Amino acid sequence: MSNVLAILKTKKFWIELLIMTIGMMITACAVYYFLVPSKLIIGTISGLSIVVSGVSESLFGVALPVSTVILVINAILLVLAYFLIGKEFGAKTVYTALILGPMMRVLETYFPYENFIRTDGAIPSIMGDIWFDLVCFVLLLSAAQSVLFKINASTGGLDILAKIVNKYLHFDIGASVSVAGAIICCTAFAINPFYMVVIGLIGTWINGLVVDYFTAGLNNKKRVCIVSKDYDRIRRYIIDELVRGCTLYEVIGGYTNEPSIELESLLTKDEFTQLMAYINKNNINAFITAGNVSEVYGFWIKDKKKLKERVDQR
């Protein structure tokens, strides 16, 4: 109990709670307004829930609320997340998965899509065209997924399956989403014509690409390599001002055959900009190469105050 209270008092907890809530609000709007009216099935648990709702209407004459079906399926998958992925991911996803259904229920009750629907096309659509609906849905969902993955959470449902594949088979998150989603898309044959299923498959593939793009952008770091006689000034600036670590290598110039020191460091984009400004301002002669790094594992402290404390203690 004391551990729970300690977590509740942290700033990190409330910031992540706000991020998860906003992410799920975006997800709920994307599903309800861009999938439900046209019954466009993208490879998500929300898409599968629309299929289940449509099948129940065909078999029993009563369509189960999509929000209710989402809640039930997510509850089953949450158990898998807790045991296979980890307690933190499972706990966060419990919150995100359980609020998706109620959020959609609020939209159904107070802001029904019927108030915004355009019926001038062959298929009911918010944007008036099924392809525009598809683009809007993919952009909104992919953005929400990427932000939630960054804090080790998800939008629930398909993200849980994708995260399991990513952890144990080491596939990219985008590829994991695409494979699992394609299987779900095929269930749309139960309620949709062939061309609608094809559109859903295309949307699922694009969603995987966009998730990878957004995720890479959020996690992107700069790997900087610098060869300079003033390497110690640069080293002190990186450690004291940017509060980052660096590594020094002894190298030999292939042209001059002279020994030198190469400095290597991982920086954020803003930190790299500051470093370049420092080098230019002080007229430091240096040979610099920089490349993008999309993933960083191991010792990378987001809280620079903690890293500063470690440096000062040495």
Side-chain angles (χ1 to χ4, degrees), residues 243-244 299 303-311:
V243 196
R244 288 297 177 195
F299 185 69
D303 189 345
K304 296 173 72 172
K305 291 182 178 179
K306 293 182 179 179
L307 183 56
K308 180 66 174 176
E309 291 174 359
R310 294 190 181 188
V311 173

Side-chain angles (χ1 to χ4, degrees), residues 18-34 99-100 103-104 107 136-145 147-148 155:
L18 178 62
I19 292 173
M20 289 187 289
T21 303
I22 294 175
M24 294 314 298
M25 288 175 61
I26 295 173
T27 301
C29 290
V31 172
Y32 182 67
Y33 290 114
F34 297 114
I99 65 172
L100 178 59
M103 282 183 172
M104 287 187 60
L107 295 176
C136 291
F137 172 78
V138 167
L139 289 177
L140 290 174
L141 180 65
S142 299
Q145 286 176 318
V147 172
L148 292 176
T155 57

Side-chain angles (χ1 to χ4, degrees), residues 22-201:
I22 294 175
M24 294 314 298
M25 288 175 61
I26 295 173
T27 301
C29 290
V31 172
Y32 182 67
Y33 290 114
F34 297 114
L35 291 190
V36 175
S38 61
K39 294 185 178 180
L40 176 63
I41 307 303
I42 304 297
T44 63
I45 295 304
S46 300
L48 179 60
S49 300
I50 294 173
V51 172
V52 173
S53 176
V55 171
S56 68
E57 184 177 19
S58 300
L59 295 179
F60 308 108
V62 178
L64 294 173
V66 175
S67 55
T68 301
V69 179
I70 289 176
L71 189 62
V72 172
I73 295 177
N74 275 332
I76 297 172
L77 292 175
L78 284 172
V79 177
L80 294 177
Y82 184 85
F83 289 105
L84 297 180
I85 302 177
K87 295 181 179 179
E88 182 186 5
F89 181 86
K92 290 179 178 178
T93 308
V94 165
Y95 174 72
T96 56
L98 292 182
I99 65 172
L100 178 59
M103 282 183 172
M104 287 187 60
R105 191 62 178 172
V106 170
L107 295 176
E108 292 170 354
T109 304
Y110 297 103
F111 309 100
Y113 68 78
E114 287 85 358
N115 294 343
F116 312 100
I117 203 73
R118 295 180 60 175
T119 57
D120 50 344
I123 299 174
S125 168
I126 292 292
M127 301 298 293
D129 186 285
I130 191 68
W131 288 101
F132 286 159
D133 279 17
L134 174 65
V135 170
C136 291
F137 172 78
V138 167
L139 289 177
L140 290 174
L141 180 65
S142 299
Q145 286 176 318
S146 301
V147 172
L148 292 176
F149 279 145
K150 186 173 177 61
I151 62 173
N152 201 27
S154 82
T155 57
L158 182 65
D159 294 350
I160 297 175
L161 296 178
K163 193 73 173 181
I164 292 173
V165 173
N166 171 256
K167 179 175 181 179
Y168 292 99
L169 299 181
H170 307 293
F171 289 172
D172 289 340
I173 286 291
S176 303
V177 169
S178 297
V179 172
I183 297 173
I184 292 177
C185 273
C186 292
T187 65
F189 282 113
I191 62 172
N192 283 342
F194 178 77
Y195 78 94
M196 286 287 287
V197 178
V198 172
I199 293 175
L201 286 168

Side-chain angles (χ1 to χ4, degrees), residues 133-269:
D133 279 17
L134 174 65
V135 170
C136 291
F137 172 78
V138 167
L139 289 177
L140 290 174
L141 180 65
S142 299
Q145 286 176 318
S146 301
V147 172
L148 292 176
F149 279 145
K150 186 173 177 61
I151 62 173
N152 201 27
S154 82
T155 57
L158 182 65
D159 294 350
I160 297 175
L161 296 178
K163 193 73 173 181
I164 292 173
V165 173
N166 171 256
K167 179 175 181 179
Y168 292 99
L169 299 181
H170 307 293
F171 289 172
D172 289 340
I173 286 291
S176 303
V177 169
S178 297
V179 172
I183 297 173
I184 292 177
C185 273
C186 292
T187 65
F189 282 113
I191 62 172
N192 283 342
F194 178 77
Y195 78 94
M196 286 287 287
V197 178
V198 172
I199 293 175
L201 286 168
I202 293 173
T204 301
W205 173 66
I206 295 175
N207 181 40
L209 296 179
V210 178
V211 167
D212 273 347
Y213 175 79
F214 282 149
T215 302
L218 290 172
N219 295 327
N220 224 11
K221 303 292 184 297
K222 286 287 186 180
R223 179 177 178 268
V224 186
C225 297
I226 304 173
V227 178
S228 173
K229 293 182 179 180
D230 291 325
Y231 70 88
D232 196 58
R233 291 178 63 188
I234 300 173
R235 180 182 69 87
R236 294 312 316 173
Y237 179 79
I238 292 174
I239 293 175
D240 297 336
E241 301 299 327
L242 299 182
V243 196
R244 288 297 177 195
C246 61
T247 304
L248 302 180
Y249 299 98
E250 292 184 356
V251 296
I252 298 177
Y255 182 76
T256 63
N257 203 35
E258 294 180 357
S260 186
I261 297 295
E262 181 184 54
L263 182 151
E264 179 181 320
S265 182
L266 286 176
L267 307 172
T268 65
K269 292 180 180 178

